[in-house]
Each structure stands twice: as C-alpha cells, then as structure tokens.
Amino acid sequence: QQQVKQSPQSLIVQKGGISIINCAYENTAFDYFPWYQQFPGKGPALLIAIRPDVSEKKEGRFTISFNKSAKQFSLHIMDSQPGDSATYFCAASTSGSARQLTFGSGTQLTVLP
Amino acid sequence: KAGVTQTPRYLIKTRGQQVTLSCSPISGHRSVSWYQQTPGQGLQFLFEYFSETQRNKGNFPGRFSGRQFSNSRSEMNVSTLELGDSALYLCASSLSGDNTGELFFGEGSRLTVL
C-alpha cells in the first residue's frame, strides 16, 4: 500500500516536444506529491510539488496534473530541451511523516536535439 | 549558501566490515534524512533525525543505524556489510517544523562492498 508506481521507465522525446510521466499510488493518506530530477553523479533535486487540494500546478515549463479520485498524478514537461535529459522521480508522503518519501522507480528522459 | 555535504564520496569495503558515512546539512536545517539508492530497489527511506532524535525509520535491518549531533550533522553506520549493501547513500536536509517533503539532497556516498 506504500508503493508508488511510475511509468514509463524510459522516454525519448524530440527537442520542443512534450514529455509526460505518470505515477499512481494506493495509500490515500498521502497528501504531498513532489517530483525530483536527478542528473548523473548528483543527488535528486526538487522540481515541483503538489497537494491534493488542487488539480494542477504549473511552474515554467513544468506542470503537475493531479487526479485524486483516480489516485494518479503526472508530470508534463513542455517544450522539452536537451538539458532536461535526466532521471525523474515522483514521490509521495503523508503530513505525519513528511520527510519519509516513497519514491517511484524513476523515468530516464532523453531529449534529442 | 552551501548545500548538503556528504563524505566520503566513494568508498570500498569488504563483506563483514562496517562503514560510517557523514552528512552536513544546509545551515539552519535541523532535519536530516537518509536514503539508499540502488538500481534494483530505487530510492528507499532509511531514517530521519531531528534535534538529535530519530523521528522515523524505514524498513531496514538493525545493521543500519544513525545519529545526529547537536550541530545537526548526522552520521549513518552500517555494520556487518553484505554485498547487497552496495548502493548510493543519500543524505537530505530540510527545515525544522516544515510540513512538506521538500528535501535538499547531497551528492551521496557511493559504497561498494566486495
């Protein structure tokens, strides 16, 4: 019940295209859903996060869409750039254990020039 | 502002040995969390410390332990190393009293167990 399922495992997109990564969760107690970006040799870095009281959050080219009834959330990267090539992780946590993130398995994004 | 600093960055140990990893959080951050990252299991939560007290613990055996000092620096220890302990160990810090999961990760300590 703690699992967060992420898909696809890998994604190749042309420069300027839209990258979409999906996650699904089971634990209805989750109330914080961040996305992290990780480059090789680096630790994950927070990209954008959402709480279930909103259905969408946008920050620049990055948008999270959240569907509470379906227990799904997704990351959309608009106008994808080669510099966006990295591994993306969705995650979830509860208010009572805010720093105990349950991570998805990761999506390796490659943006072709 | 300096980020999260982890030492050592790389280390090689043999089975049965023990290892201690160190983490210095961002100045002002009082919460330190530890995660294990492997290709097979992904990112898994180990434990979180706040004001020298362990607040949460993940599903890892007792060989994995940690502590936090009064200056918020943290160490984690793995005893009786097994081959499966080979991983990237990530430390993350966050603001005290923060109700979000906004973690600031270090670059990790890569442990290889031979």
Side-chain angles (χ1 to χ4, degrees), chain A residues 31-32 34 36 38 41-46 51 87 89-90 93-105, chain B residues 9 31 33 35 37 43-45 48 55-58 88 90 94-95 97-107:
Chain A
D31 59 4
Y32 178 72
Y36 280 80
Q38 186 176 28
K42 302 292 185 182
L46 179 66
R51 292 197 176 276
T87 301
F89 294 92
C90 62
S93 67
T94 65
S95 296
S97 303
R99 279 152 286 278
Q100 185 170 349
L101 291 172
T102 299
F103 281 90
S105 54
Chain B
R9 290 292 313 281
S31 169
S33 303
Y35 285 79
Q37 186 173 25
L43 280 152
Q44 293 186 288
F45 173 79
E48 182 213 354
R55 286 209 291 201
N56 288 297
K57 189 178 192 315
L88 180 67
L90 291 160
S94 60
L95 287 168
D98 187 25
N99 196 33
T100 72
E102 184 166 3
L103 304 180
F104 296 84
F105 284 87
E107 295 188 336

Side-chain angles (χ1 to χ4, degrees), chain A residues 35-108:
Chain A
W35 284 88
Y36 280 80
Q37 178 189 56
Q38 186 176 28
F39 293 103
K42 302 292 185 182
L46 179 66
L47 200 58
I48 187 173
I50 197 168
R51 292 197 176 276
D53 52 345
V54 296
S55 60
E56 186 175 283
K57 183 175 181 180
K58 189 173 185 177
E59 288 185 3
R61 297 184 294 110
F62 301 92
T63 300
I64 298 180
S65 296
F66 185 83
N67 186 329
K68 188 174 181 178
S69 60
K71 292 184 287 186
Q72 295 176 347
F73 58 110
S74 61
L75 175 69
H76 295 231
I77 306 175
M78 312 299 288
D79 187 26
S80 298
Q81 299 296 312
D84 296 331
S85 297
T87 301
Y88 293 80
F89 294 92
C90 62
S93 67
T94 65
S95 296
S97 303
R99 279 152 286 278
Q100 185 170 349
L101 291 172
T102 299
F103 281 90
S105 54
T107 296
Q108 188 167 347

Side-chain angles (χ1 to χ4, degrees), chain B residues 30 48-55 66-73:
Chain B
R30 294 170 60 192
E48 182 213 354
Y49 287 88
F50 175 76
S51 291
E52 303 177 64
T53 301
Q54 187 180 87
R55 286 209 291 201
R67 60 178 176 168
Q68 186 180 33
F69 303 96
S70 58
N71 61 358
S72 295
R73 192 176 68 84

